[in-house]
Amino acid sequence: QVQLVESGGGLVQAGGSLRLSCAASGRTISSRTLGWFRQAPGKEREFVAALKWNGGTTWYADSVKGRFTISRDNPKNTVYLQMNSLKPEDTAVYFCAAKRDSNGAYYSGIFYDYWGQGTQVTVSS
């Protein structure tokens, strides 16, 4: 069992920044990938960014590349999503998720076994 808890969401104006945190606890998986996904009302869940814990390889959706940065704090078992130059279309509930490295593609939520509760990000124009 793994628990993921997101924090850091809020309301910001377009062009502003937020940093989301995802703290993992419980029986964490050694060979794992941490991902950020988001879901806007009436929309499908979409991939945002992912990080392979061992080695630190990162991936980004084209829509956020150059604006968002995923990073890790190894001793704290925490991953972050630094979001800069926010746009109204970034408004969504953001979820942290974890999967085993061997279990499917990093960009597909279906392969992630553990999910946080989500944190709301609202970007005003």
Side-chain angles (χ1 to χ4, degrees), residues 20-99:
L20 307 183
S21 299
C22 174
S25 61
R27 302 186 71 85
T28 55
I29 303 165
S30 296
S31 299
R32 64 191 186 273
T33 295
L34 277 297
W36 287 98
F37 294 79
R38 67 187 182 187
Q39 188 166 22
K43 300 291 186 179
E44 296 83 6
R45 179 183 60 198
E46 66 174 346
F47 167 76
V48 176
L51 179 149
K52 189 174 185 294
W53 197 262
N54 295 331
T57 303
T58 59
W59 303 270
Y60 297 93
D62 288 341
S63 60
V64 306
K65 192 172 296 182
R67 299 188 297 121
F68 292 9
T69 303
I70 187 170
S71 62
R72 62 183 172 177
D73 188 329
N74 291 356
K76 297 180 180 179
N77 278 326
T78 299
V79 295
Y80 304 96
L81 186 68
Q82 178 67 45
M83 305 185 294
N84 298 326
S85 301
L86 283 162
K87 305 174 181 179
E89 50 263 45
D90 295 317
T91 295
V93 177
Y94 284 70
F95 297 91
C96 178
K99 78 173 190 73

Coordinates of all heavy atoms in Angstrom, one line a residue, residues 20-99:
L20 N 3.3 22.4 -7.1 CA 2.6 21.3 -6.5 C 3.5 20.3 -5.9 O 4.6 20.1 -6.4 CB 1.7 20.6 -7.5 CG 0.7 21.5 -8.4 CD1 -0.1 20.6 -9.3 CD2 -0.2 22.3 -7.4
S21 N 3.1 19.7 -4.8 CA 3.9 18.7 -4.1 C 3.1 17.4 -4.0 O 1.9 17.5 -3.9 CB 4.3 19.2 -2.7 OG 5.1 20.4 -2.7
C22 N 3.8 16.3 -4.0 CA 3.2 15.0 -3.9 C 4.1 14.2 -2.9 O 5.2 13.9 -3.3 CB 3.0 14.3 -5.2 SG 2.4 12.6 -5.1
A23 N 3.6 14.0 -1.7 CA 4.4 13.2 -0.7 C 3.9 11.8 -0.7 O 2.7 11.5 -0.6 CB 4.2 13.9 0.6
A24 N 4.8 10.9 -0.8 CA 4.5 9.4 -0.8 C 4.9 8.8 0.5 O 5.9 9.2 1.1 CB 5.3 8.7 -1.9
S25 N 4.0 8.0 1.0 CA 4.3 7.3 2.2 C 3.8 5.8 2.1 O 3.2 5.4 1.1 CB 3.6 8.0 3.4 OG 2.2 8.1 3.2
G26 N 4.0 5.1 3.2 CA 3.6 3.7 3.2 C 4.7 2.8 2.6 O 5.9 3.2 2.6
R27 N 4.3 1.7 2.0 CA 5.3 0.8 1.4 C 5.5 1.2 -0.1 O 4.9 0.7 -1.0 CB 4.7 -0.6 1.5 CG 4.4 -1.1 2.9 CD 4.0 -2.5 2.9 NE 5.1 -3.4 2.7 CZ 6.0 -3.8 3.6 NH1 5.9 -3.4 4.8 NH2 7.0 -4.6 3.2
T28 N 6.5 2.1 -0.2 CA 6.8 2.7 -1.5 C 7.5 1.7 -2.4 O 8.1 0.7 -1.9 CB 7.6 3.9 -1.4 OG1 8.8 3.6 -0.6 CG2 6.9 5.0 -0.7
I29 N 7.3 1.9 -3.7 CA 7.9 1.0 -4.7 C 9.2 1.5 -5.1 O 9.4 2.6 -5.4 CB 6.9 0.9 -5.9 CG1 5.5 0.5 -5.5 CG2 7.5 0.0 -7.0 CD1 4.5 0.7 -6.5
S30 N 10.2 0.6 -5.1 CA 11.6 0.9 -5.4 C 11.8 1.4 -6.8 O 12.3 2.5 -7.1 CB 12.5 -0.2 -5.1 OG 12.5 -0.5 -3.7
S31 N 11.4 0.5 -7.8 CA 11.5 0.9 -9.2 C 10.2 1.5 -9.6 O 9.3 0.7 -10.1 CB 11.8 -0.4 -10.0 OG 13.1 -0.9 -9.6
R32 N 10.1 2.8 -9.6 CA 8.8 3.4 -9.8 C 8.9 4.7 -10.6 O 10.0 5.3 -10.7 CB 8.1 3.8 -8.4 CG 8.9 4.8 -7.6 CD 8.4 4.9 -6.2 NE 9.0 6.0 -5.5 CZ 10.1 5.8 -4.7 NH1 10.8 4.7 -4.7 NH2 10.6 6.9 -4.0
T33 N 7.8 5.0 -11.2 CA 7.6 6.3 -11.9 C 6.5 7.1 -11.3 O 5.5 6.5 -11.0 CB 7.4 6.0 -13.4 OG1 8.5 5.3 -14.0 CG2 7.1 7.3 -14.2
L34 N 6.8 8.3 -11.1 CA 5.8 9.2 -10.5 C 5.3 10.1 -11.7 O 6.1 10.7 -12.4 CB 6.3 10.1 -9.4 CG 6.4 9.5 -8.0 CD1 5.0 9.2 -7.5 CD2 7.2 8.2 -7.9
G35 N 4.0 10.3 -11.7 CA 3.4 11.1 -12.8 C 2.4 12.1 -12.3 O 1.9 11.9 -11.2
W36 N 2.3 13.2 -13.0 CA 1.3 14.2 -12.8 C 0.3 14.1 -14.0 O 0.7 14.1 -15.1 CB 1.8 15.6 -12.7 CG 2.6 15.8 -11.4 CD1 3.9 15.8 -11.2 CD2 2.0 16.2 -10.2 NE1 4.2 16.1 -9.9 CE2 3.0 16.4 -9.2 CE3 0.7 16.4 -9.7 CZ2 2.8 16.7 -7.9 CZ3 0.5 16.8 -8.4 CH2 1.5 17.0 -7.5
F37 N -1.0 14.0 -13.6 CA -2.1 14.1 -14.6 C -3.0 15.2 -14.2 O -3.0 15.6 -13.0 CB -2.8 12.7 -14.6 CG -2.0 11.6 -15.1 CD1 -1.1 11.0 -14.3 CD2 -2.1 11.1 -16.4 CE1 -0.3 9.9 -14.8 CE2 -1.4 10.1 -16.9 CZ -0.4 9.5 -16.1
R38 N -3.9 15.6 -15.1 CA -4.9 16.6 -14.8 C -6.2 16.3 -15.5 O -6.2 15.7 -16.5 CB -4.4 18.0 -15.1 CG -4.2 18.3 -16.6 CD -3.5 19.6 -16.8 NE -3.4 19.9 -18.2 CZ -2.7 21.0 -18.7 NH1 -2.2 21.8 -17.9 NH2 -2.7 21.2 -20.0
Q39 N -7.2 16.8 -14.9 CA -8.5 16.6 -15.5 C -9.4 17.9 -15.3 O -9.6 18.3 -14.1 CB -9.2 15.4 -14.8 CG -10.5 15.0 -15.5 CD -11.0 13.6 -15.1 OE1 -10.7 13.1 -14.1 NE2 -11.8 13.0 -16.0
A40 N -9.8 18.4 -16.4 CA -10.7 19.6 -16.3 C -12.1 19.1 -16.4 O -12.4 18.0 -16.9 CB -10.4 20.5 -17.5
P41 N -13.1 19.9 -15.9 CA -14.5 19.5 -16.0 C -14.9 19.1 -17.4 O -14.7 19.9 -18.4 CB -15.2 20.7 -15.5 CG -14.3 21.4 -14.6 CD -12.9 21.2 -15.3
G42 N -15.5 18.0 -17.6 CA -16.0 17.5 -18.8 C -15.0 17.0 -19.8 O -15.3 16.7 -20.9
K43 N -13.7 16.9 -19.3 CA -12.6 16.5 -20.2 C -12.0 15.2 -19.6 O -12.2 14.8 -18.5 CB -11.5 17.6 -20.2 CG -12.0 18.9 -20.8 CD -12.3 18.8 -22.2 CE -12.6 20.2 -22.8 NZ -12.9 20.1 -24.3
E44 N -11.4 14.5 -20.5 CA -10.7 13.3 -20.1 C -9.4 13.6 -19.3 O -8.8 14.7 -19.5 CB -10.3 12.5 -21.4 CG -11.4 11.9 -22.2 CD -12.0 12.9 -23.2 OE1 -11.4 14.0 -23.3 OE2 -13.0 12.6 -23.8
R45 N -9.0 12.7 -18.5 CA -7.8 12.9 -17.8 C -6.6 12.9 -18.8 O -6.6 12.1 -19.7 CB -7.6 11.7 -16.8 CG -6.3 11.8 -16.0 CD -6.3 10.5 -15.1 NE -6.3 9.3 -15.8 CZ -6.6 8.1 -15.3 NH1 -6.9 8.0 -14.1 NH2 -6.6 7.0 -16.1
E46 N -5.7 13.8 -18.6 CA -4.5 13.9 -19.5 C -3.2 13.9 -18.8 O -3.1 14.4 -17.7 CB -4.6 15.1 -20.4 CG -4.5 16.4 -19.7 CD -4.5 17.6 -20.7 OE1 -4.3 17.4 -21.9 OE2 -4.7 18.7 -20.2
F47 N -2.2 13.3 -19.4 CA -0.9 13.3 -18.9 C -0.3 14.7 -18.9 O -0.4 15.4 -19.9 CB 0.0 12.3 -19.8 CG 1.4 12.4 -19.5 CD1 2.0 11.9 -18.4 CD2 2.2 13.1 -20.5 CE1 3.4 12.0 -18.2 CE2 3.6 13.1 -20.2 CZ 4.2 12.6 -19.1
V48 N 0.5 15.0 -17.9 CA 1.2 16.2 -17.8 C 2.7 16.1 -17.8 O 3.4 16.6 -18.6 CB 0.7 17.0 -16.5 CG1 1.5 18.3 -16.3 CG2 -0.8 17.3 -16.5
A49 N 3.2 15.3 -16.8 CA 4.6 15.1 -16.7 C 4.8 13.8 -15.9 O 4.0 13.3 -15.1 CB 5.3 16.3 -16.0
A50 N 6.0 13.2 -16.0 CA 6.4 12.0 -15.3 C 7.9 12.0 -15.0 O 8.7 12.6 -15.7 CB 6.0 10.7 -16.0
L51 N 8.2 11.3 -14.0 CA 9.6 11.2 -13.5 C 9.9 9.8 -13.1 O 9.2 9.2 -12.3 CB 9.9 12.2 -12.4 CG 11.3 12.2 -11.8 CD1 11.6 13.6 -11.3 CD2 11.4 11.2 -10.6
K52 N 11.0 9.2 -13.7 CA 11.4 7.9 -13.3 C 12.3 8.1 -12.1 O 13.3 8.8 -12.1 CB 12.2 7.2 -14.4 CG 12.6 5.8 -14.2 CD 13.2 5.2 -15.4 CE 13.5 3.7 -15.3 NZ 14.5 3.4 -14.3
W53 N 11.9 7.5 -11.0 CA 12.6 7.8 -9.7 C 14.1 7.4 -9.7 O 14.9 8.2 -9.3 CB 11.9 7.0 -8.5 CG 12.3 7.6 -7.2 CD1 13.2 7.1 -6.4 CD2 11.7 8.7 -6.6 NE1 13.3 7.8 -5.2 CE2 12.4 8.9 -5.3 CE3 10.7 9.6 -6.9 CZ2 12.1 9.9 -4.5 CZ3 10.4 10.7 -6.1 CH2 11.1 10.8 -4.8
N54 N 14.4 6.2 -10.2 CA 15.8 5.8 -10.3 C 16.4 6.3 -11.6 O 16.0 5.8 -12.7 CB 15.8 4.3 -10.3 CG 15.4 3.7 -9.0 OD1 15.6 4.3 -7.9 ND2 14.9 2.5 -9.0
G55 N 17.2 7.3 -11.5 CA 17.8 7.9 -12.7 C 17.3 9.3 -13.0 O 18.1 10.1 -13.6
G56 N 16.1 9.6 -12.6 CA 15.6 10.9 -12.8 C 15.1 11.3 -14.2 O 14.9 12.5 -14.5
T57 N 14.9 10.4 -15.1 CA 14.4 10.7 -16.4 C 13.1 11.3 -16.3 O 12.2 10.9 -15.5 CB 14.3 9.4 -17.3 OG1 15.6 8.8 -17.3 CG2 13.9 9.7 -18.7
T58 N 12.8 12.3 -17.1 CA 11.6 13.1 -17.1 C 10.9 13.1 -18.5 O 11.6 13.0 -19.5 CB 11.8 14.5 -16.6 OG1 12.7 15.2 -17.4 CG2 12.3 14.5 -15.1
W59 N 9.6 13.2 -18.5 CA 8.8 13.4 -19.7 C 7.8 14.4 -19.5 O 7.3 14.6 -18.4 CB 8.2 12.1 -20.1 CG 9.1 10.9 -20.3 CD1 9.7 10.5 -21.4 CD2 9.5 9.9 -19.3 NE1 10.4 9.3 -21.2 CE2 10.3 9.0 -19.9 CE3 9.2 9.8 -17.9 CZ2 10.9 7.9 -19.2 CZ3 9.7 8.7 -17.2 CH2 10.6 7.8 -17.9
Y60 N 7.4 15.1 -20.6 CA 6.4 16.2 -20.5 C 5.5 16.1 -21.6 O 5.8 15.8 -22.8 CB 7.1 17.6 -20.5 CG 8.0 17.8 -19.3 CD1 9.3 17.6 -19.4 CD2 7.5 18.3 -18.1 CE1 10.2 17.8 -18.3 CE2 8.3 18.6 -17.0 CZ 9.6 18.3 -17.1 OH 10.5 18.5 -16.1
A61 N 4.2 16.5 -21.4 CA 3.3 16.7 -22.4 C 3.7 17.9 -23.2 O 4.2 18.9 -22.7 CB 1.9 16.9 -21.9
D62 N 3.4 17.9 -24.5 CA 3.8 19.0 -25.4 C 3.2 20.3 -24.9 O 3.8 21.4 -25.0 CB 3.4 18.8 -26.8 CG 4.3 17.7 -27.5 OD1 5.4 17.5 -27.0 OD2 3.8 17.2 -28.5
S63 N 2.0 20.3 -24.3 CA 1.3 21.4 -23.9 C 1.9 22.2 -22.7 O 1.6 23.4 -22.5 CB -0.2 21.1 -23.5 OG -0.2 20.1 -22.5
V64 N 2.8 21.5 -22.0 CA 3.4 22.1 -20.8 C 4.9 22.2 -20.9 O 5.5 22.8 -20.0 CB 3.0 21.4 -19.5 CG1 1.5 21.3 -19.4 CG2 3.6 20.0 -19.5
K65 N 5.5 21.6 -21.9 CA 6.9 21.6 -22.1 C 7.4 23.0 -22.2 O 6.9 23.9 -22.9 CB 7.3 20.8 -23.3 CG 8.8 20.5 -23.4 CD 9.1 19.5 -24.6 CE 8.4 18.2 -24.4 NZ 8.7 17.2 -25.5
G66 N 8.5 23.3 -21.4 CA 9.0 24.6 -21.3 C 8.4 25.5 -20.3 O 9.0 26.6 -19.9
R67 N 7.3 25.1 -19.7 CA 6.6 25.9 -18.7 C 6.6 25.1 -17.3 O 6.7 25.8 -16.3 CB 5.2 26.2 -19.1 CG 5.1 27.1 -20.3 CD 3.7 27.5 -20.6 NE 2.7 26.4 -20.8 CZ 1.7 26.1 -20.0 NH1 1.4 26.9 -19.0 NH2 0.9 25.1 -20.3
F68 N 6.5 23.8 -17.4 CA 6.4 23.0 -16.2 C 7.7 22.2 -16.0 O 8.3 21.8 -17.0 CB 5.2 22.0 -16.2 CG 3.8 22.7 -16.2 CD1 3.7 24.0 -16.3 CD2 2.7 21.8 -16.1 CE1 2.4 24.6 -16.3 CE2 1.5 22.4 -16.0 CZ 1.3 23.7 -16.1
T69 N 8.0 22.0 -14.7 CA 9.2 21.2 -14.4 C 8.8 20.2 -13.3 O 8.3 20.6 -12.3 CB 10.4 22.0 -14.0 OG1 10.7 23.0 -15.0 CG2 11.6 21.2 -13.7
I70 N 9.1 18.9 -13.6 CA 8.9 17.9 -12.5 C 10.2 17.6 -11.9 O 11.3 17.5 -12.6 CB 8.2 16.6 -13.1 CG1 7.9 15.7 -12.0 CG2 9.1 16.0 -14.2 CD1 7.0 14.5 -12.5
S71 N 10.3 17.5 -10.6 CA 11.5 17.2 -9.9 C 11.2 16.3 -8.7 O 10.1 16.1 -8.3 CB 12.2 18.5 -9.5 OG 11.4 19.3 -8.6
R72 N 12.3 15.9 -8.0 CA 12.1 15.0 -6.9 C 13.0 15.5 -5.7 O 14.0 16.2 -5.9 CB 12.5 13.6 -7.3 CG 14.0 13.5 -7.7 CD 14.4 12.2 -8.2 NE 15.8 12.2 -8.8 CZ 16.4 11.2 -9.2 NH1 15.9 10.0 -9.2 NH2 17.6 11.3 -9.7
D73 N 12.6 15.1 -4.5 CA 13.4 15.2 -3.3 C 13.5 13.8 -2.8 O 12.6 13.3 -2.1 CB 12.8 16.2 -2.3 CG 13.7 16.5 -1.1 OD1 14.5 15.6 -0.7 OD2 13.6 17.6 -0.6
N74 N 14.6 13.1 -3.0 CA 14.7 11.7 -2.7 C 14.6 11.4 -1.2 O 13.8 10.5 -0.9 CB 16.1 11.2 -3.2 CG 16.2 11.1 -4.7 OD1 15.2 11.4 -5.4 ND2 17.4 10.7 -5.2
P75 N 15.2 12.1 -0.3 CA 15.1 11.8 1.1 C 13.6 12.0 1.6 O 13.2 11.3 2.6 CB 16.0 12.8 1.8 CG 17.0 13.1 0.8 CD 16.2 13.2 -0.5
K76 N 12.9 12.8 1.0 CA 11.5 13.1 1.4 C 10.5 12.3 0.7 O 9.3 12.4 1.0 CB 11.2 14.6 1.3 CG 12.0 15.5 2.2 CD 11.7 17.0 1.9 CE 12.5 17.9 2.8 NZ 12.2 19.3 2.6
N77 N 10.9 11.5 -0.3 CA 10.0 10.8 -1.1 C 8.9 11.7 -1.7 O 7.7 11.4 -1.6 CB 9.3 9.6 -0.3 CG 10.2 8.4 -0.3 OD1 10.9 8.1 -1.3 ND2 10.2 7.6 0.8
T78 N 9.3 12.8 -2.2 CA 8.4 13.8 -2.6 C 8.7 14.2 -4.1 O 9.9 14.3 -4.4 CB 8.4 15.1 -1.7 OG1 8.1 14.7 -0.4 CG2 7.5 16.2 -2.2
V79 N 7.7 14.4 -4.9 CA 7.9 14.9 -6.2 C 7.2 16.2 -6.3 O 6.1 16.5 -5.6 CB 7.4 14.0 -7.3 CG1 8.2 12.7 -7.3 CG2 5.9 13.6 -7.1
Y80 N 7.7 17.1 -7.2 CA 7.1 18.4 -7.3 C 6.8 18.7 -8.8 O 7.3 18.1 -9.7 CB 8.1 19.5 -6.9 CG 8.6 19.3 -5.4 CD1 9.8 18.7 -5.2 CD2 7.9 19.8 -4.4 CE1 10.3 18.5 -3.9 CE2 8.3 19.7 -3.1 CZ 9.5 19.0 -2.8 OH 10.0 18.9 -1.6
L81 N 5.8 19.6 -9.0 CA 5.5 20.1 -10.3 C 5.5 21.6 -10.2 O 4.6 22.2 -9.7 CB 4.2 19.6 -10.8 CG 3.8 20.0 -12.2 CD1 4.8 19.2 -13.2 CD2 2.4 19.7 -12.5
Q82 N 6.6 22.2 -10.7 CA 6.7 23.6 -10.8 C 6.0 24.1 -12.0 O 6.4 23.7 -13.1 CB 8.2 24.1 -10.8 CG 8.4 25.6 -10.9 CD 7.9 26.3 -9.7 OE1 8.2 25.9 -8.5 NE2 7.2 27.4 -9.9
M83 N 5.0 25.0 -11.9 CA 4.2 25.4 -13.0 C 4.4 26.9 -13.2 O 4.1 27.7 -12.3 CB 2.8 25.1 -12.8 CG 2.5 23.6 -12.5 SD 0.7 23.2 -12.4 CE 0.3 24.1 -10.9
N84 N 5.0 27.3 -14.3 CA 5.3 28.7 -14.6 C 4.5 29.1 -15.8 O 4.0 28.3 -16.6 CB 6.8 29.0 -14.8 CG 7.6 28.7 -13.6 OD1 7.2 28.9 -12.5 ND2 8.8 28.2 -13.8
S85 N 4.3 30.4 -16.0 CA 3.6 30.9 -17.1 C 2.3 30.3 -17.3 O 1.9 29.8 -18.4 CB 4.5 30.8 -18.4 OG 5.7 31.4 -18.3
L86 N 1.5 30.2 -16.2 CA 0.3 29.5 -16.3 C -0.8 30.2 -17.2 O -0.8 31.4 -17.3 CB -0.3 29.4 -14.8 CG 0.4 28.3 -14.0 CD1 0.1 28.5 -12.5 CD2 -0.1 26.9 -14.4
K87 N -1.6 29.3 -17.8 CA -2.6 29.8 -18.7 C -4.0 29.3 -18.2 O -4.0 28.3 -17.5 CB -2.4 29.2 -20.1 CG -1.0 29.5 -20.7 CD -0.8 28.7 -22.0 CE 0.6 29.0 -22.6 NZ 0.8 28.2 -23.9
P88 N -5.0 30.0 -18.6 CA -6.4 29.6 -18.2 C -6.6 28.1 -18.5 O -7.3 27.4 -17.8 CB -7.3 30.5 -18.9 CG -6.5 31.8 -19.0 CD -5.1 31.3 -19.3
E89 N -6.1 27.6 -19.7 CA -6.3 26.3 -20.1 C -5.6 25.2 -19.2 O -5.8 24.0 -19.3 CB -6.0 26.0 -21.5 CG -4.6 26.6 -21.9 CD -4.6 27.9 -22.5 OE1 -5.3 28.8 -22.0 OE2 -3.9 28.1 -23.6
D90 N -4.8 25.7 -18.3 CA -4.2 24.8 -17.3 C -5.1 24.5 -16.1 O -4.8 23.7 -15.3 CB -2.9 25.4 -16.8 CG -1.8 25.6 -17.8 OD1 -1.6 24.6 -18.6 OD2 -1.1 26.6 -17.9
T91 N -6.2 25.2 -16.1 CA -7.1 25.0 -15.0 C -7.6 23.5 -15.0 O -8.2 23.1 -16.0 CB -8.3 25.9 -15.1 OG1 -7.9 27.3 -14.9 CG2 -9.4 25.6 -14.0
A92 N -7.5 22.9 -13.9 CA -7.9 21.5 -13.7 C -7.6 21.0 -12.3 O -6.9 21.7 -11.5 CB -7.1 20.6 -14.7
V93 N -8.1 19.8 -12.0 CA -7.6 19.1 -10.8 C -6.4 18.3 -11.2 O -6.4 17.6 -12.2 CB -8.7 18.2 -10.3 CG1 -8.2 17.4 -9.1 CG2 -10.0 19.0 -9.9
Y94 N -5.3 18.5 -10.5 CA -4.1 17.8 -10.7 C -3.9 16.7 -9.8 O -4.1 16.8 -8.6 CB -2.9 18.8 -10.6 CG -2.8 19.7 -11.8 CD1 -3.7 20.7 -12.0 CD2 -1.8 19.6 -12.7 CE1 -3.7 21.6 -13.1 CE2 -1.6 20.5 -13.8 CZ -2.6 21.4 -14.0 OH -2.5 22.3 -15.1
F95 N -3.6 15.5 -10.3 CA -3.4 14.3 -9.6 C -1.9 13.8 -9.7 O -1.3 13.8 -10.7 CB -4.3 13.2 -10.1 CG -5.8 13.5 -10.0 CD1 -6.5 14.1 -11.0 CD2 -6.4 13.1 -8.8 CE1 -7.8 14.4 -10.9 CE2 -7.8 13.4 -8.7 CZ -8.5 14.0 -9.7
C96 N -1.4 13.3 -8.6 CA -0.2 12.6 -8.5 C -0.5 11.1 -8.6 O -1.4 10.7 -8.0 CB 0.6 13.0 -7.2 SG 2.2 12.1 -7.0
A97 N 0.4 10.4 -9.3 CA 0.2 9.0 -9.4 C 1.5 8.2 -9.4 O 2.5 8.8 -9.8 CB -0.7 8.6 -10.7
A98 N 1.5 7.0 -9.1 CA 2.7 6.2 -9.1 C 2.4 4.8 -9.8 O 1.4 4.2 -9.6 CB 3.2 5.9 -7.7
K99 N 3.5 4.4 -10.5 CA 3.4 3.1 -11.1 C 4.7 2.4 -11.1 O 5.8 3.1 -10.8 CB 3.0 3.2 -12.6 CG 4.1 3.7 -13.6 CD 3.6 3.6 -15.0 CE 4.8 3.8 -16.0 NZ 5.7 2.6 -16.0

